[in-house]
Amino acid sequence: NLSFNEMRDLSLGLKYAEELISLSEKLGNDLYLYRGYLQKGNKIKYQGNFDLALDAYFKSVEVAKKADYKTGEGSAYMTIADIYSSSNNPSNAMLYYHKAISTLRETEDSVALASAIMNAGDEHFKMKNYDSALVYFRESELIFEKADYPTGKAFSLGNLGMVYANFGQSELAEKNINEAILILEDLENFYPICTYLIAMSDVYLGKGDDAEALNYAMRSLKLAQVHGLKWQISDANLKVSLL
């Protein structure tokens, strides 16, 4: 739980994950070993080292398969897909998203399934397949809402907002993104907030309000710097320089 929930201090979260791996290996507990590798990958990913994160995620797949833990296997496929997505490898990303979705549909873990569907939608969004992205995001939002999972609902709302922005529906985009940011601030989950602040910057840029666009981009940059989110620092600096 500590390795999962520690988002403010990524180095501390990684330390908890390493301790979890060590204890799980000593006890021969594959379920917790899977979780240890998964959280290790998550924390390393947020620190910006994708190669090391991918190595941890593939280990989590191996352990989940050994334990015949379908939910874990599907979730690990999803994290691998996320890395390929962030590395601009859409073919591998969609391959592993589909593996994740098909595996998770065999389980009762609706939150994991919704996460895989949402992330596949995000890949469509990156490829500018906005109609497909909208279908995926709407399905994920419905599943998260039914499961009463606020983090997932926030992601889905934010992602829907970004789709609406690209459809030119700026008011709907702003409403969804602001609602997502409020939920995530309560949860102290800063990585996605940085992304959505950049999306808000784009919304205001589209309105011709350069000053407000710059304000949102600077908010994203400062938040990313405070929490050491390398990838988000890069994105925010790029946006600020363009503005």
Side-chain angles (χ1 to χ4, degrees), residues 10-230:
L10 295 174
S11 296
L12 181 58
L14 180 58
K15 182 182 173 184
Y16 287 132
E18 294 279 16
E19 189 174 358
L20 177 57
I21 289 167
S22 177
L23 287 168
S24 302
E25 285 177 332
K26 284 176 184 174
L27 293 169
N29 189 320
D30 286 334
L31 286 179
Y32 278 104
L33 183 59
Y34 150 77
R35 293 185 179 106
Y37 279 123
L38 192 75
Q39 293 312 320
K40 178 180 179 178
N42 287 344
K43 296 303 179 284
I44 293 171
K45 179 185 78 171
Y46 288 134
Q47 288 177 330
N49 193 326
F50 291 161
D51 287 340
L52 282 178
L54 200 59
D55 181 59
Y57 289 146
F58 274 115
K59 284 177 181 172
S60 71
V61 168
E62 290 171 17
V63 177
K65 286 172 101 171
K66 182 184 171 188
D68 195 25
Y69 182 37
K70 284 281 184 186
T71 298
E73 183 186 345
S75 296
Y77 285 141
M78 175 172 57
T79 58
I80 289 167
D82 289 344
I83 291 290
Y84 283 125
S85 175
S86 297
S87 303
N88 297 314
N89 189 335
S91 58
N92 269 0
M94 289 311 300
L95 171 68
Y96 279 96
Y97 282 134
H98 288 143
K99 278 171 107 72
I101 291 167
S102 61
T103 303
L104 291 166
R105 286 201 193 277
E106 298 176 28
T107 75
E108 295 181 0
D109 193 329
S110 60
V111 169
L113 173 61
S115 298
I117 292 168
M118 180 183 69
N119 291 7
D122 191 50
E123 190 62 22
H124 278 296
F125 179 83
K126 286 174 67 179
M127 293 188 286
K128 303 190 178 185
N129 301 330
Y130 299 127
D131 289 330
S132 295
L134 193 62
V135 171
Y136 278 87
F137 290 151
R138 279 177 173 164
E139 184 182 0
S140 67
E141 185 192 14
L142 287 172
I143 298 171
F144 281 132
E145 185 77 46
K146 189 176 178 183
D148 192 24
Y149 187 67
T151 300
K153 183 183 176 184
F155 277 121
S156 294
L157 284 169
N159 291 343
L160 280 167
M162 292 196 292
V163 173
Y164 292 135
N166 279 278
F167 283 151
Q169 299 172 313
S170 59
E171 286 186 15
L172 202 51
E174 194 171 344
K175 176 180 176 293
N176 277 267
I177 291 171
N178 275 328
E179 192 175 338
I181 289 171
L182 284 173
I183 295 170
L184 291 163
E185 282 177 340
D186 283 342
L187 297 168
E188 296 187 330
N189 194 341
F190 302 109
Y191 187 90
I193 292 175
C194 293
T195 299
Y196 295 139
L197 288 170
I198 293 294
M200 286 296 292
S201 176
D202 288 335
V203 168
Y204 277 96
L205 191 60
K207 289 180 177 182
D209 190 341
D210 293 356
E212 195 62 14
L214 183 60
N215 176 47
Y216 274 101
M218 288 301 298
R219 277 178 61 190
S220 179
L221 177 60
K222 287 172 184 173
L223 192 64
Q225 287 172 333
V226 166
H227 296 285
L229 303 170
K230 188 191 293 186

